[in-house]
Amino acid sequence: MTVTAAPRADEPPVRLGVAFVPTQPPETLRTLATTAEAAGLDELWVWEDCFKQSGVASASAALAWTERIRVGIGLLPAPLRSTAITAMELATLARLFPGRFVPAVGHGVQEWMAQAGVRADSPLTLLREHTEALHSLLAGEEVTTSGRYVRLDGVRLEWPAPDVPIVMGGVGPRSLALAGELGDALILANALTPDDVRAAAETAAAGAQRSGWPAPPVYATLIAATGPDAQARLDAELPQWGAAPGQGVGAAGDARAIADGVLRLAAAGATSVTIQPLADEPDLEGFVHMLGREVRPLLADG
């Protein structure tokens, strides 16, 4: 397993990022990426939801438009992608932008995989084979394997990237345990309550322990809104992401309220929290500046 990049000296105990949600058109990404960097945020996460934006294309552009901020893909569905081409793409980006690229892989939403004609009978078997091969290829090893889904014959990357972390996503207990076993970090695919984040982190940590690894870092998401009608807007959007109002998912209010939401997730085990703006956010640039200039400093104070 690789080691994730060391934190910046000026960052608070939990890293703070923003998500480029695919409810926004691709042409708005440049403004969000440069604004997030100017605001001092630690991370920008792009998505690869079917059938919206490409995660690799979005990450490539965001990395090229910025100089410091880390850019993650949350997450790449393994059934859609050849393991060999995925390794080539990840290694190329990692070498072009050292220490700034954080890819994540998962088994994908099965309904979407069926629509694309690539649904696997055993998604976890595919994800295991895919991730194990990615680790080996990125490390520069020659890989020959004949698994149920991944078949490679003497494949070796000419330009490997052994330091790029492979983050794994999961929801169910077996996916979470596999992420702890094979991943360099865990990304939680949905916005969750602090109790759910804690349970997921513990499941992944148990999987890591069985393999002799330390508990993995945990990337969590907080859906957030600000302004006088923030709570009503948040409550209206939560069902779109599989959550119900009043269950402790999300944060609404001023910078203090959002910082408190981040800190609750950090106390539950999250080492990085990505803020997901609402689809109807009227001033996305202003919202991102508020996250960096007002919310982030509050995290250091606790």
Side-chain angles (χ1 to χ4, degrees), residues 172-285:
R174 291 193 299 160
S175 299
L176 294 168
L178 184 64
E181 176 188 347
L182 296 180
D184 295 304
L186 166 68
I187 185 169
L188 301 173
N190 301 320
L192 302 172
T193 68
D195 286 344
D196 288 339
V197 169
R198 182 176 293 105
E202 290 173 352
T203 301
Q209 185 178 31
R210 287 192 291 271
S211 298
W213 299 110
V218 176
Y219 292 87
T221 295
L222 181 71
I223 303 174
T226 190
D229 57 348
Q231 189 64 57
R233 291 169 52 234
L234 175 65
D235 290 347
E237 181 155 326
L238 285 176
Q240 178 180 343
W241 308 106
Q247 294 183 341
V249 176
D254 59 9
R256 180 74 264 174
I258 296 175
D260 287 345
V262 172
L263 291 170
R264 284 192 292 270
L265 295 178
T271 50
S272 177
V273 175
T274 299
I275 303 298
Q276 179 179 322
L278 299 188
D280 68 352
E281 173 54 53
D283 181 9
L284 190 55
E285 289 183 63

Side-chain angles (χ1 to χ4, degrees), residues 6-208:
R8 288 169 25 208
D10 65 333
E11 68 184 24
V14 58
R15 298 176 69 96
L16 185 65
V18 66
F20 179 63
V21 186
T23 51
Q24 300 290 330
E27 56 269 26
T28 63
L29 174 58
R30 181 170 190 160
T31 298
L32 180 66
T34 55
T35 301
E37 179 159 87
L41 293 180
D42 303 298
E43 297 167 348
L44 167 70
W45 284 84
V46 298
W47 292 12
E48 187 163 90
D49 273 6
C50 297
F51 297 92
K52 300 175 182 177
Q53 291 104 331
S54 158
V56 172
S58 297
S60 301
L63 286 162
W65 289 325
T66 56
E67 297 181 356
R68 175 196 59 79
I69 197 168
R70 295 174 79 194
V71 176
I73 305 177
L75 43 76
L76 296 169
L80 277 176
R81 299 179 163 275
S82 155
T83 302
I85 194 64
T86 300
M88 291 164 58
E89 289 176 327
L90 301 190
T92 299
L93 281 178
R95 294 179 71 104
L96 285 171
F97 305 99
R100 294 181 54 213
F101 177 48
V102 188
V105 297
H107 54 56
V109 176
Q110 296 311 295
E111 180 182 353
W112 292 342
M113 298 304 100
Q115 284 182 269
V118 294
R119 181 168 182 167
D121 291 334
S122 178
L124 286 181
T125 300
L126 186 155
L127 183 58
R128 174 182 289 278
E129 293 178 0
H130 183 75
T131 306
E132 288 176 340
L134 280 180
H135 273 300
S136 297
L137 289 168
L138 291 171
E141 301 172 12
E142 182 177 298
V143 179
T144 296
T145 182
S146 182
R148 182 174 177 181
Y149 297 103
V150 177
R151 299 177 180 88
L152 300 170
D153 183 9
V155 176
R156 183 197 299 271
L157 295 185
E158 186 163 342
W159 301 103
D163 293 329
V164 63
I166 300 178
V167 181
M168 294 182 69
V171 176
R174 291 193 299 160
S175 299
L176 294 168
L178 184 64
E181 176 188 347
L182 296 180
D184 295 304
L186 166 68
I187 185 169
L188 301 173
N190 301 320
L192 302 172
T193 68
D195 286 344
D196 288 339
V197 169
R198 182 176 293 105
E202 290 173 352
T203 301

